[in-house]
Amino acid sequence: MTTKTFDPVAYKETTRSQWEAAAGAWHVWGPVIEAWLGESTDLMLELADIGPGDRVLDLAAGAGGQTFAAARRVGPTGRVLATDISENLLAHLDHDAAAAGLTNVTTRVMDGEDVDTEAGHFDAVISRVGLIYFPDQHQALLGMREALKDGGRVGAIVYSTAAANPFFSIPVSVIRERAELPPPLPGQPGPFSLGAPGALAEAFTAAGLVDVDVRAVAAPLMFPTAEDCVRFERESFGALHQMLAGLDDDAREAAWGEVVTRLRAFEGPDGFVGPCEMLVGVGTKPGPA
């Protein structure tokens, strides 16, 4: 099995490049993503108490489904700043915001670990399935807290455990085995890096957030067939492509074939229903002592 030292700089550059390449596919799959993550998104925005007139910072905004949901909540007197490391993703977000008439949305290329905004400016900072992929999650959360007004809230959506998310953990395990990759070390970024019981709450608390609330939400990923789910993952999930980088084309196809075979276990009368559980966490920036 290959043993490599984790290089956060190289990881981040690879991630950026992959999202630049996958931006078009992520945008095309937008309706599927919103159907899948809509309930979790609504809960995050509700728990973060986002309402009319609020200023919201969205980190790792991607194609912007949660950005637009926040923008509709804050209304014309509020603002949402959507940020991502991928300029291509933000170009799609800009286009869709304009098409929807959401003039209260602006975008900026930004590294989520280096929150470059005015301190104490935002009522809420949100991140949907983004925090888990930051190499330094603690630094990111400190930046999120710094960007908040006193009493403002951080909201994040992450995957729970690998066992509760076989639609994703099966591809990860198949690819990891075929690519002879070692398991991630504690503290490394990845889809399940904040999924262990108590991990998300502990990360929020360590960053100085209080009144932390974490809730689990069932979010099954539904398609006609397992092949459709795998096509979605192949086109949209940059982390899987990063893991496959060391294999040749034939080996990659063989890996994907095994993934399809194993995911067929979740096909039934209603089509493919891939088990998925998200965690929605919120925490509050305390005021002066």
Side-chain angles (χ1 to χ4, degrees):
M1 183 170 289
T2 303
T3 301
K4 294 182 178 179
T5 301
F6 178 72
D7 182 341
V9 175
Y11 167 87
K12 194 175 296 184
E13 285 304 313
T14 300
T15 300
R16 186 196 313 272
S17 297
Q18 289 172 340
W19 279 115
E20 290 283 83
W26 194 249
H27 178 254
V28 168
W29 286 102
V32 170
I33 296 166
E34 295 316 308
W36 168 36
L37 296 179
E39 182 179 350
S40 300
T41 301
D42 288 343
L43 179 60
M44 175 180 67
L45 301 181
E46 178 182 340
L47 294 178
D49 197 27
I50 294 172
D54 282 348
R55 294 176 176 175
V56 179
L57 172 62
D58 186 359
L59 296 181
Q66 70 291 333
T67 306
F68 304 145
R72 289 188 287 269
R73 282 178 173 253
V74 304
T77 60
R79 303 293 300 177
V80 180
L81 173 59
T83 70
D84 202 279
I85 62 170
S86 168
E87 186 174 355
N88 289 348
L89 279 171
L90 293 180
H92 287 293
L93 195 157
D94 275 327
H95 176 273
D96 289 350
L102 293 172
T103 58
N104 57 353
V105 172
T106 56
T107 61
R108 186 188 307 172
V109 176
M110 185 186 296
D111 183 341
E113 291 181 2
D114 185 14
V115 180
D116 184 19
T117 64
E118 180 182 348
H121 180 73
F122 292 94
D123 299 284
V125 182
I126 60 174
S127 185
R128 185 174 79 173
V129 198
L131 180 62
I132 49 177
Y133 294 114
F134 295 165
D136 192 338
Q137 295 162 356
H138 181 65
Q139 179 64 31
L141 284 165
L142 290 177
M144 295 162 82
R145 188 194 68 184
E146 181 69 13
L148 286 171
K149 299 175 180 178
D150 291 344
R153 299 185 183 183
V154 170
I157 300 174
V158 305
Y159 296 106
S160 68
T161 63
N165 289 277
F167 91 95
F168 200 4
S169 60
I170 285 175
V172 168
S173 64
V174 168
I175 292 170
R176 189 177 297 282
E177 180 178 352
R178 285 180 173 262
E180 298 184 343
L181 298 172
L185 297 173
Q188 284 189 6
F192 311 113
S193 57
L194 289 170
L200 183 59
E202 289 170 8
F204 275 32
T205 300
L209 299 170
V210 299
D211 298 328
V212 176
D213 185 2
V214 177
R215 304 188 190 185
V217 178
L221 190 58
M222 306 177 76
F223 286 99
T225 68
E227 286 87 347
D228 294 312
C229 178
V230 172
R231 183 163 64 90
F232 167 58
E233 293 179 326
R234 288 188 69 161
E235 293 179 2
S236 306
F237 283 30
L240 298 180
H241 287 281
Q242 187 168 344
M243 294 172 67
L244 283 164
L247 299 180
D248 62 28
D249 290 345
D250 289 343
R252 291 175 191 171
E253 288 304 316
W256 286 119
E258 183 180 347
V259 171
V260 171
T261 297
R262 293 185 58 182
L263 287 183
R264 285 192 180 122
F266 301 108
E267 290 182 343
D270 297 323
F272 174 83
V273 182
C276 171
E277 182 180 73
M278 311 304 294
L279 300 178
V280 179
V282 296
T284 302
K285 178 179 179 177

